[in-house]
Amino acid sequence: MRSKKQYYIRTFGCQMNVHDSEQMEELLRNEGFCSTGDDKSADLIIVNTCSIREKAEQKVYSILGRYRGLKQARPDLIIGVGGCMAQQQGTDLFARAPHLDFIFGTHTIHRLPEMIKEVERNRRRLVDTCFHDSVQSIGIVAPPRGGSVSSFVTIMQGCNNFCSFCVVPYVRGREESREIYDIVNEIEVLTRHGVKEVILLGQNVNSYGNTLNNGANFPLLLKEINGVDGIERIRFITSHPKDLSDGLIECFAVLDKVCEHIHLPVQSGSDTMLRRMNRRYTAGDYLGKVEKLREACPRISISTDIIVGFPGESEEDFQKTIDLMEKVRFDSSFSFKYSVRPGTMAERYEDRIPESVKQDRLMKVQKLQERYTLEGNESLKGSVEDILVEGLSKNSSADVTGRTRTNRIVNFPGGTGLIGERVYVRIQNTYIHSLRGELVEKERNWQC
Ligand code: 5AD
Ligand code: SF4
């Protein structure tokens, strides 16, 4: 007989969701659950959902459909659904998936243990999608499992920007920043678990501190974290172009642990589209920020998000996105076909773009990006890169894998002894999604 109950968590969506799932795992472990990689043998299944685009929601419905069969075969199985879709739909989810036991929102993750106990006790369905002013799960410290050297740290919740296409402000609530001391405390705890790199998470990290009214801001936070012993690298996502200050740009030049990479979603190169998207910057403003970033830090790698086929996007508007891509030559980008989201401002726009046009534009953006990514990677051939080794390579156990400071994946021959080390690697071959190289020297030798 099994002594511990087993949980299985299925996560959809962004890094914020991945980190929320890590926090759920921490709560479940504290309740005596252990993890299983096999949903068929789990006593508890949690589906952490995403509603950013329609496709993400369809995937969730499909997995919930599969779990209906599991529940029929084993009525004792408990199934809970959390995340953005749960937040938005609440009890309505029961109509489509009556086999669910409980539904919790983006602000009620901390109630997970309580909800599970109540379902076990009373065997009745539960929903808690309340919004709380102070998001209590935000500070649950979830040290990464399996000796990972990199860890997410949530610095703020929610978003006040209301971009017209985006559902996030409705499902994650208003922006709320954590205090600097609280974040630094969490990072100090993480270093004691071997963490060397932190990835700071927020929907718009550039506006960090605005809700605190105590002078705290993002550059100040970075400076504090830069001073934490044991932390070697600092990354952050996501930055909003309208709030990218000169102070933050300077951090890339002066704070040694801040890695030379910024994810700066542009969404479109057309001012008409940007206005309709409620982005509050123009293509010219964006290009100006890129110039400043490259002046302050010539090696910086810049990635972006692009939406094609936003309502009313003419061929001319689309061409402006291509023009902007040609000017910036992003190191990488995520591109999406516009997808209508219920409750958003853009839902009301009637001049929708046909699916075939969206598909065609997406292909054009992706093809162009592929060229720039390949060219950017190729330019690194022969260079020696500072790599933080994250683990064994997925493709070969004779190789280890890590990242450059500019966020490119590098594989090279090496063993487990290198995991967690910062080493220097000469780049020999370059591909679209990764680079390959050879170890030059370990950092400590390099510094002698
Ligand atoms: N349709 C398509 N893409 C979207 N994104 C957000 N909402 C939508 C939508 N309704 C994209 C944006 C954002 C990224 C996280 O997802 O590009 O930056
Ligand atoms: Fe969505 Fe805009 Fe907020 Fe990003 S900044 S989460 S795109 S509303």
Side-chain angles (χ1 to χ4, degrees):
M1 212 179 94
R2 268 203 326 250
S3 56
K4 276 187 168 186
K5 289 196 174 168
Q6 297 190 323
Y7 71 84
Y8 174 88
I9 302 189
R10 178 71 193 262
T11 308
F12 292 88
C14 61
Q15 275 99 341
M16 191 71 92
N17 265 20
V18 171
H19 187 46
D20 285 350
S21 289
E22 287 171 354
Q23 291 180 318
M24 291 174 203
E25 293 202 36
E26 185 66 17
L27 292 172
L28 294 175
R29 275 193 298 269
N30 291 342
E31 292 297 312
F33 281 85
C34 66
S35 134
T36 170
D38 175 18
D39 50 10
K40 290 188 283 307
S41 66
D43 304 288
L44 166 72
I45 295 179
I46 307 262
V47 184
N48 189 5
T49 61
C50 169
S51 55
I52 195 90
R53 284 170 293 277
E54 202 184 341
K55 219 160 115 186
E57 289 195 348
Q58 282 162 356
K59 282 192 206 156
V60 171
Y61 284 129
S62 141
I63 197 87
L64 292 182
R66 202 164 80 72
Y67 290 156
R68 187 194 289 250
L70 286 185
K71 180 82 174 177
Q72 271 164 357
R74 284 194 297 123
D76 278 355
L77 169 67
I78 296 178
I79 307 179
V81 176
C84 297
M85 229 172 121
Q87 181 67 50
Q88 196 164 35
Q89 301 197 17
T91 36
D92 290 353
L93 264 181
F94 285 136
R96 249 184 114 159
H99 51 294
L100 301 182
D101 292 289
F102 69 103
I103 291 167
F104 59 107
T106 54
H107 284 210
T108 44
I109 292 174
H110 62 285
R111 290 214 50 230
L112 196 55
E114 214 178 312
M115 291 182 89
I116 295 166
K117 278 184 201 138
E118 208 174 321
V119 170
E120 280 175 338
R121 238 187 346 256
N122 301 327
R123 284 284 151 190
R124 64 182 181 88
R125 297 195 304 201
L126 288 180
V127 180
D128 187 353
T129 52
C130 290
F131 269 150
H132 296 268
D133 283 347
S134 170
V135 181
Q136 293 182 39
S137 60
I138 198 169
I140 298 169
V141 183
R145 310 297 290 173
S148 173
V149 291
S150 182
S151 181
F152 292 122
V153 175
T154 305
I155 62 164
M156 61 204 294
Q157 268 276 148
C159 181
N160 290 348
N161 285 318
F162 291 91
C163 299
S164 65
F165 51 80
C166 185
V167 77
V168 167
Y170 307 94
V171 293
R172 294 240 170 216
R174 293 294 72 74
E175 184 179 303
E176 188 207 342
S177 298
R178 284 172 77 187
E179 296 281 355
I180 291 187
Y181 69 84
D182 198 20
I183 298 169
V184 169
N185 279 348
E186 174 170 347
I187 294 175
E188 283 170 350
V189 172
L190 292 172
T191 61
R192 295 200 278 278
H193 287 85
V195 167
K196 296 191 173 164
E197 174 183 84
V198 282
I199 305 170
L200 310 178
L201 294 179
Q203 306 298 341
N204 176 14
V205 291
N206 304 166
S207 61
Y208 170 80
N210 284 0
T211 57
L212 291 172
N213 295 317
N214 61 4
N217 59 33
F218 193 48
L220 206 66
L221 174 68
L222 288 177
K223 201 164 157 243
E224 290 295 321
I225 300 173
N226 203 68
V228 175
D229 283 343
I231 287 301
E232 299 194 18
R233 287 181 167 194
I234 305 169
R235 301 186 185 279
F236 48 86
I237 36 180
T238 291
S239 298
H240 194 303
K242 79 176 163 61
D243 299 311
L244 176 60
S245 65
D246 290 349
L248 176 56
I249 292 176
E250 197 186 284
C251 289
F252 287 106
V254 300
L255 297 180
D256 60 328
K257 297 178 183 174
V258 171
C259 288
E260 295 85 357
H261 169 238
I262 186 164
H263 185 64
L264 196 62
V266 66
Q267 314 296 1
S268 169
S270 152
D271 289 346
T272 318
M273 290 301 105
L274 289 172
R275 207 172 315 113
R276 285 192 111 196
M277 288 175 169
N278 195 30
R279 292 290 289 178
R280 285 172 278 173
Y281 56 83
T282 62
D285 296 336
Y286 188 91
L287 291 170
K289 304 255 171 163
V290 167
E291 203 178 315
K292 277 189 177 178
L293 279 164
R294 287 186 170 150
E295 237 167 63
C297 179
R299 257 180 73 85
I300 196 161
S301 105
I302 304 178
S303 58
T304 201
D305 291 343
I306 290 172
I307 296 178
V308 297
F310 189 71
E313 186 187 64
S314 64
E315 269 308 316
E316 208 184 346
D317 291 315
F318 174 65
Q319 187 54 43
K320 287 185 176 149
T321 298
I322 297 287
D323 293 346
L324 184 134
M325 287 179 76
E326 283 170 355
K327 283 185 188 131
V328 180
R329 299 172 73 94
F330 293 104
D331 293 276
S332 65
S333 68
F334 299 98
S335 41
F336 312 100
K337 289 187 274 188
Y338 170 70
S339 152
V340 186
R341 298 288 69 213
T344 59
M345 268 194 292
E347 188 188 14
R348 280 177 266 149
Y349 298 162
E350 283 170 358
D351 39 2
R352 302 223 177 125
I353 304 297
E355 190 57 29
S356 59
V357 176
K358 285 191 210 169
Q359 183 61 26
D360 188 48
R361 291 178 184 171
L362 186 72
M363 290 299 116
K364 283 186 180 138
V365 164
Q366 292 185 344
K367 202 161 160 236
L368 187 62
Q369 185 57 55
E370 209 172 291
R371 204 182 100 204
Y372 294 143
T373 303
L374 277 170
E375 284 175 12
N377 287 350
E378 242 170 65
S379 72
L380 295 178
K381 242 186 207 168
S383 70
V384 173
E385 296 288 324
D386 173 351
I387 308 293
L388 176 62
V389 184
E390 292 174 12
L392 285 176
S393 156
K394 281 195 195 97
N395 301 329
S396 157
S397 56
D399 288 346
V400 285
T401 187
R403 273 166 208 267
T404 64
R405 287 178 59 103
T406 54
N407 209 30
R408 292 174 168 95
I409 294 169
V410 180
N411 297 304
F412 60 96
T416 45
L418 288 176
I419 297 172
E421 298 253 1
R422 268 178 58 205
V423 296
Y424 286 85
V425 171
R426 181 171 294 107
I427 305 303
Q428 297 167 312
N429 292 310
T430 61
Y431 314 98
I432 180 100
H433 296 301
S434 66
L435 315 175
R436 190 164 176 80
E438 63 172 0
L439 188 64
V440 177
E441 244 172 320
K442 282 193 187 180
E443 185 201 21
R444 55 173 175 273
N445 298 337
W446 190 267
Q447 282 181 334
C448 295

